[in-house]
Amino acid sequence: MIGNHLPRQCGIATFTTDLCNAIAAEYGAAQLAVVAVNDGNSSYSYPERVRFEISEGDLASYRRAAEFLNGEDVDLVCLQHEYGIFGANPGTTLSIF
């Protein structure tokens, strides 16, 4: 999963957390990993399944996240999107993955 995650407070964080909980309940949590997007200079005390953090305004952290994912045995990526959470202006496209 790539997106916001609780304890960050927003609808996408709640959705991503609930979706992860449902997947973990059905299939187990062992192979479920989250790349969480932090707002501004914030950092959060995430659960263990958050394995990497992106700082929404730091392009280099997106590249590091891509490198992290490319180095893992990833079969499926679920990207949660809402304008503003990836640090770009609305209407722009961020294409580094």
Side-chain angles (χ1 to χ4, degrees):
M1 300 283 175
I2 301 173
N4 301 346
H5 194 286
L6 293 178
R8 181 175 175 172
Q9 296 296 303
C10 74
I12 295 292
T14 301
F15 176 79
T16 302
T17 302
D18 289 348
L19 182 58
C20 287
N21 289 341
I23 291 169
E26 184 68 24
Y27 301 103
Q31 296 187 18
L32 180 63
V34 175
V35 174
V37 182
N38 295 332
D39 51 336
N41 292 324
S42 299
S43 65
Y44 299 96
S45 181
Y46 289 117
E48 187 175 315
R49 70 173 155 226
V50 175
R51 304 248 326 269
F52 197 91
E53 297 177 39
I54 293 172
S55 177
E56 72 180 25
D58 178 15
L59 185 58
S61 72
Y62 291 87
R63 289 188 179 113
R64 288 190 300 274
E67 291 168 1
F68 167 78
L69 291 170
N70 286 331
E72 297 292 307
D73 186 21
V74 176
D75 293 323
L76 177 70
V77 173
C78 179
L79 175 69
Q80 304 304 316
H81 177 267
E82 179 179 66
Y83 288 107
I85 67 171
F86 292 101
N89 294 325
T92 61
T93 302
L94 180 63
S95 58
I96 59 129
F97 290 104

